[in-house]
Amino acid sequence: MVRKDIFGRAVLAAAMLVAAFFVRPAAAQHGGPTPDPEPPARQGEEAPPPAPPLLRPVSFEDLPGWPSDGHAEILPALHASCAAIRPMRPDYALGGQGEAALRAGSASTWQTICLELRALERDLPRPPRRGAGRAHERRVAAWQAERHLAVRRFLEARFEAFAAGSGIMTGYYEPILRGATEPSEVFRTPLHARPPELAELPVIGNPMRRRYGMMVEGRLEPFPDRAAIDTGALEGRGLELVWVDDPADAFFLHIQGSGRVILPSGEMIRVGFAGHNGRGYVSIGRLLIERGEIAREQMSMQALRAWLATAGHERATELLRGNPSYVFFRRVEGLAPDQGPIGALGVPLTPQRSVAVDRAFIPLGLPMFVTVRDPAARRDTPPAGRLVVAQDTGGAIRGPARTDFFWGWGPEAGDRAGRMRDEAEVFLLLPRPVEVAAAQEAR
């Protein structure tokens, strides 16, 4: 219960002000179905700033598959980042440690680069006129190759590549659920809005990470856990945004952080992450591995869903409540159906070009080059190098080379995301100093 004295109200007000100042829309756990997610920091513990990653400068020729990527395909994601960064204060902190923070951790650097990106876009070759036949196809292919080469040259002149090491890459997506605005025998599982008393503070010593809870006698304490909320801890407060027909779908939506809910009328509601209860995340996949229910090498979101579908209501409910973390949502307005969910940078995510990172190490908005293996391909298919942009975060995404790859929305994206867990090489593209970039362009 929140104290009603002046001191308690002052602390709560301060917490809300801090949250309003720092926070942008963010994803939830991500990577949750994997067997060994990184544990989040305990509530209230003073976390020292993470040690800067050991970045090693490399040439672009050292990036595996750099020449063959479709470089111009990164432009929509970069322009989306610029739309968010352009109105920020020049000293707004985007994250990062060490060299990454020095070169790319404040909005001012990107505001200059965004102007250059506009100029680049204006100078790119225009598409050929509409046509048909092989001759037209050759003209389109030549135009695309010219665009990719122009963007590649811009990136090589304006940025410098640094190896950040190898880390686990998982995948995430935007699920599509069935729901209704009123409960019924079919739609019985609510998605809750953020309770007004939920407070949010930066982790002491590490302001790029967040702590959630409620103020109790001047201290931030966790909210009720998943089991308590499932059994009515928030009932009667009008916090239900929408009701869905499958508790397992709702649980995985908590992990993904954003989703689409289709109503019986055909109307679509978009929901996004609005906070969580401050309880540590527990992987139900890891619980099943420890119990001997699913072998580690067979663990995936698909394996979890299959187990839940056959376990029976009581066992499935008990397993889901083994993860005490609970996510709150908000309605997201103004997104077109062909736009992705809103990430931590405050812009729609671009399928297969946006990634979630640990903001304590990698600034939001940073272009990166990573090795990606398509889970739908044969296991012996080698990974391909791919340009991506750091536009999101996740509670299970911890470390300088830990990434979460956004696949898109719907069943196909979900299938790929649920099967993805690979070692990936990570390279950061850090802006060169302006005078060095000018010299590079003059060559």
Side-chain angles (χ1 to χ4, degrees):
M1 178 177 180
V2 180
R3 284 183 60 178
K4 301 299 183 182
D5 57 17
I6 295 175
F7 175 76
R9 291 198 299 271
V11 172
L12 180 57
M16 296 303 185
L17 284 173
V18 171
F21 181 80
F22 280 101
V23 174
R24 292 180 171 271
Q29 276 81 27
H30 297 178
T34 57
D36 296 305
E38 295 78 356
R42 295 175 183 171
Q43 284 296 318
E45 84 175 358
E46 295 191 15
L54 298 176
L55 300 179
R56 176 173 55 88
V58 296
S59 68
F60 282 93
E61 289 74 19
D62 293 329
L63 305 187
W66 173 255
S68 59
D69 192 22
H71 297 79
E73 294 175 10
I74 201 66
L75 288 176
L78 290 175
H79 286 311
S81 292
C82 286
I85 294 173
R86 196 174 295 117
M88 291 178 179
R89 301 186 320 274
D91 61 347
Y92 185 93
L94 294 166
Q97 279 285 308
E99 189 77 8
L102 289 174
R103 294 201 190 196
S106 64
S108 59
T109 300
W110 296 105
Q111 287 162 347
T112 301
I113 293 174
C114 288
L115 293 175
E116 297 171 2
L117 279 169
R118 281 184 174 181
L120 170 68
E121 191 76 61
R122 289 194 299 267
D123 294 340
L124 288 176
R126 300 304 171 198
R129 294 179 180 179
R130 291 182 179 179
R134 292 183 178 179
H136 176 70
E137 291 174 359
R138 286 195 294 269
R139 286 192 294 270
V140 171
W143 164 70
Q144 291 175 334
E146 193 175 351
R147 279 174 57 87
H148 292 324
L149 182 59
V151 175
R152 173 184 169 182
R153 287 174 174 168
F154 172 82
L155 293 171
E156 291 175 350
R158 194 63 181 86
F159 294 85
E160 184 177 2
F162 287 82
S166 297
I168 293 296
M169 173 183 283
T170 47
Y172 70 114
Y173 76 112
E174 186 182 22
I176 301 175
L177 294 78
R178 295 180 298 273
T181 55
E182 297 293 335
S184 68
E185 284 300 310
V186 175
F187 303 106
R188 297 189 294 181
T189 302
L191 304 180
H192 286 102
R194 177 176 178 148
E197 68 272 26
L198 184 69
E200 180 177 353
L201 293 171
V203 173
I204 298 171
N206 190 355
M208 293 302 161
R209 293 180 181 164
R210 320 299 303 165
R211 293 191 295 135
Y212 291 90
M214 60 182 184
M215 301 307 298
V216 179
E217 298 184 352
R219 293 176 57 85
L220 188 67
E221 298 289 346
F223 239 62
D225 64 12
R226 177 178 297 275
I229 294 174
D230 281 351
T231 53
L234 298 179
E235 196 171 328
R237 298 185 55 187
L239 294 174
E240 298 86 1
L241 285 176
V242 66
W243 303 77
V244 299
D245 64 348
D246 189 332
D249 284 349
F251 180 89
F252 286 111
L253 175 63
H254 283 221
I255 292 172
Q256 302 303 319
S258 301
R260 307 176 183 212
V261 182
I262 307 299
L263 304 182
S265 65
E267 179 188 355
M268 180 175 67
I269 295 175
R270 303 287 287 269
V271 295
F273 178 85
H276 67 81
N277 62 347
R279 303 279 177 173
Y281 173 75
V282 174
S283 166
I284 62 170
R286 185 170 58 190
L287 292 178
L288 288 179
I289 290 171
E290 291 172 351
R291 297 173 186 177
E293 299 275 0
I294 300 178
R296 178 178 296 274
E297 61 274 12
Q298 296 176 343
M299 179 54 65
S300 67
M301 185 184 296
Q302 288 76 6
L304 280 176
R305 283 189 173 277
W307 188 94
L308 290 168
T310 59
H313 176 74
E314 288 188 9
R315 293 183 71 207
T317 299
E318 182 270 335
L319 178 68
L320 297 180
R321 291 177 180 174
N323 174 23
S325 178
Y326 192 92
V327 169
F328 302 109
F329 294 93
R330 61 188 178 88
R331 288 191 63 160
V332 179
E333 308 289 352
L335 289 178
D338 62 350
Q339 287 183 301
I342 301 296
L345 190 57
V347 299
L349 303 178
T350 301
Q352 301 185 44
R353 294 292 178 179
S354 296
V355 293
V357 299
D358 187 345
R359 188 182 175 192
F361 295 99
I362 298 176
L364 291 177
L366 189 72
M368 304 163 61
F369 193 74
V370 297
T371 55
V372 179
R373 193 193 68 80
D374 187 346
R378 289 166 49 101
R379 283 300 304 178
D380 57 358
T381 302
R386 195 166 188 83
L387 271 165
V388 294
V389 182
Q391 292 182 317
D392 206 1
T393 58
I397 310 306
R398 292 287 183 260
R402 175 70 167 92
T403 52
D404 212 15
F405 188 84
F406 178 66
W407 280 102
W409 48 89
E412 184 177 343
D415 181 72
R416 281 178 158 85
R419 299 181 188 278
M420 189 176 201
R421 183 177 175 84
D422 295 293
E423 191 81 9
E425 292 184 73
V426 175
F427 302 88
L428 309 186
L429 304 189
L430 300 183
R432 299 179 189 269
V434 174
E435 62 276 9
V436 175
Q440 287 285 116
E441 291 174 351
R443 290 181 181 179

